[in-house]
């Protein structure tokens, strides 16, 4: 029953969070410019412009527009894109597979490198390789993602010509309508550079985090007790010590996955990756407010879902961690 109570409370929290996000997103639309600038040409008269504004409801008060938006949003309608002339949510969902694959590729890269790298640096902190990794992590944290992306494009795309530097490559349509580049060699080759660039945001942070948590765990009483019982060194390190480093790692990782989606705006722009981030920038340039608001709401919903999943993962890693609302 406590799981049901947790889900109900999270659903209520999600509604409140999404309401606040939609209110903020809707409040900034007047500061983005006039959407009619992109919809009509210079030759259109002022009277025709006003008629179009009335047709789109742009002359209504903020409360009227927001109330109309909420009423439609409850039914799954986040508005119609001014540029694409299609439901904004459909346009975003068309771009979501590309962004998802980019985030997935970056997560695979930074997890496969940060976990062994952090553990190695914690166990062998006096060795030259560990010191080199820690120095490189400091440099990595200091370099912005767009600069990393530009350097990768210049080195591997322009100078060496080993990998494609823009676009998504060939894709395959799955039975449920999802276009994926993960099933083609061309799609995978296009994914490598942007995934490396995006993973550079979290890789240095996770190496340092895992190292710090692993060093702290190695000095705790339960690890000393495990050694005193005669357990093998690998079991003590990788089962008892490492398992207890995962709680803070999962916490930060869950939050940072949402951050990765936000940083895809920069990465997708450099690599011309046709995902949600690149679409968002185009929507801002075109003052396509329904598309902008829909993007903000979708990203906010992803944050809420990821945080909920993180809470469930807590209980799988450490049974002593109870779901909020569970009785002791």
């Amino acid at each position: 029953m406590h799981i049901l109570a947790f889900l109900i409370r999270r659903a209520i929290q999600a509604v409140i969070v999404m309401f606040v996000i939609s209110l903020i997103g809707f409040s900034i639309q007047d500061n983005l410019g006039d959407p009619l600038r992109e919809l009509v040409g210079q030759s259109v008269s002022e009277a025709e412009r006003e008629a179009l504004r009335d047709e789109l409801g742009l002359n209504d008060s903020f409360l009227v527009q927001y109330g109309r938006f909420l009423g439609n949003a409850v039914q799954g309608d986040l508005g119609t894109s001014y540029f694409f002339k299609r439901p904004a949510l459909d346009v975003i969902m068309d771009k979501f597979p590309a962004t998802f694959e980019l985030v997935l590729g970056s997560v695979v890269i930074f997890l496969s490198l940060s976990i062994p790298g952090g553990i190695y640096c914690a166990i062998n902190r006096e060795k030259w390789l560990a010191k080199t990794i820690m120095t490189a992590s400091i440099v990595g944290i200091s370099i912005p993602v767009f600069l990393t992306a530009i350097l990768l494009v210049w080195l591997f795309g322009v100078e060496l010509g080993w990998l494609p530097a823009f676009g998504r490559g060939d894709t395959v349509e799955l039975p449920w309508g999802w276009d994926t580049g993960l099933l083609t060699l061309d799609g995978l080759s296009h994914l490598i550079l942007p995934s490396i660039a995006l993973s550079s945001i979290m890789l240095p942070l996770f190496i340092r985090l895992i190292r710090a948590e692993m060093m702290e765990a190695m000095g705790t009483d339960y690890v000393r007790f495990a050694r005193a019982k005669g357990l093998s060194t690998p079991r003590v390190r990788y089962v008892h010590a490492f398992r207890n480093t995962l709680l803070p790692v999962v916490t930060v990782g869950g939050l940072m996955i949402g951050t990765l989606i936000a940083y895809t705006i920069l990465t997708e722009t450099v690599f011309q990756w046709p995902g949600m981030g690149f679409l968002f920038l185009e929507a801002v340039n075109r003052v396509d407010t329904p598309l902008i608001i829909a993007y903000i709401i979708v990203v906010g919903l992803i944050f809420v879902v990821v945080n909920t999943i993180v809470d469930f993962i807590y209980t799988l890693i450490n049974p002593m961690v109870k779901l909020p609302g569970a009785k002791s």
Side-chain angles (χ1 to χ4, degrees):
M1 291 299 294
H2 66 271
I3 295 179
L4 180 60
F6 167 76
L7 293 176
I8 292 175
R9 183 166 53 257
R10 271 307 175 92
I12 296 174
Q13 291 175 353
V15 171
I16 296 174
V17 169
M18 299 312 298
F19 172 78
V20 173
I21 290 175
S22 66
L23 182 60
I24 294 174
F26 215 83
S27 299
I28 66 175
Q29 65 173 337
D30 291 335
N31 300 319
L32 297 175
D34 186 4
L36 294 185
R37 182 189 66 190
E38 300 293 333
L39 289 175
V40 298
Q42 296 293 331
S43 60
V44 176
S45 66
E46 190 62 32
E48 291 175 317
R49 288 174 178 270
E50 283 301 313
L52 184 57
R53 291 183 67 87
D54 287 333
E55 180 182 344
L56 296 175
L58 299 177
N59 287 329
D60 296 335
S61 66
F62 173 81
L63 291 179
V64 172
Q65 293 186 55
Y66 185 61
R68 182 168 57 238
F69 170 78
L70 282 183
N72 293 332
V74 171
Q75 304 175 48
D77 180 8
L78 297 181
T80 301
S81 168
Y82 296 150
F83 179 80
F84 293 97
K85 303 295 190 295
R86 295 174 53 206
L89 186 59
D90 291 349
V91 176
I92 290 176
M93 288 298 101
D94 287 344
K95 303 295 184 179
F96 177 77
T99 297
F100 175 80
E101 290 176 6
L102 177 57
V103 173
L104 178 63
S106 67
V107 169
V108 170
I109 290 174
F110 81 73
L111 284 182
S112 61
L113 295 178
S114 63
I115 292 177
I119 294 175
Y120 177 84
C121 291
I123 297 174
N124 308 282
R125 50 185 178 273
E126 297 301 326
K127 292 187 176 182
W128 68 268
L129 181 56
K131 293 180 179 180
T132 302
I133 292 174
M134 295 308 297
T135 302
S137 69
I138 296 175
V139 176
I141 292 175
S142 306
I143 300 178
V145 63
F146 69 88
L147 181 57
T148 302
I150 292 173
L151 290 174
L152 289 173
V153 169
W154 171 76
L155 179 59
F156 296 102
V158 178
E159 291 295 324
L160 298 177
W162 291 353
L163 293 167
F166 64 91
R168 193 181 176 198
D170 295 335
T171 60
V172 175
E173 184 174 352
L174 299 177
W176 52 88
W178 183 307
D179 287 337
T180 179
L182 299 179
L183 300 179
T184 66
L185 290 177
D186 187 55
L188 289 173
S189 65
H190 280 78
L191 182 63
I192 293 174
L193 290 184
S195 294
I196 293 174
L198 190 59
S199 67
S200 67
I201 302 169
M202 296 186 65
L203 179 58
L205 172 65
F206 262 65
I207 289 177
R208 301 182 70 85
L209 176 62
I210 293 174
R211 173 183 179 271
E213 294 296 330
M214 189 72 176
M215 289 174 59
E216 181 179 349
M218 293 293 290
T220 55
D221 291 337
Y222 66 83
V223 170
R224 296 192 186 99
F225 181 71
R227 286 173 173 163
K229 288 173 60 178
L231 298 180
S232 64
T233 299
R235 181 173 178 82
V236 171
R237 289 175 177 175
Y238 306 122
V239 177
H240 292 273
F242 178 64
R243 181 176 181 179
N244 286 276
T245 68
L246 289 180
L247 284 178
V249 171
V250 169
T251 303
V252 177
L255 296 175
M256 288 298 291
I257 287 177
T259 304
L260 279 180
I261 296 176
Y263 272 100
T264 57
I265 294 177
L266 299 174
T267 307
E268 291 180 0
T269 300
V270 174
F271 290 97
Q272 297 293 290
W273 187 263
M276 295 195 308
F278 189 59
L279 176 69
F280 175 75
L281 278 186
E282 289 183 325
V284 172
N285 291 330
R286 296 170 180 147
V287 198
D288 195 340
T289 49
L291 200 54
I292 294 171
I293 296 171
Y295 172 85
I296 293 173
I297 290 176
V298 169
V299 172
L301 181 61
I302 291 174
F303 268 94
V304 172
V305 172
V306 168
N307 287 334
T308 302
I309 293 174
V310 166
D311 282 342
F312 275 111
I313 294 178
Y314 275 174
T315 60
L316 299 178
I317 297 174
N318 189 350
M320 294 181 64
V321 177
K322 302 294 184 181
L323 287 176
K327 295 181 179 180
S328 302

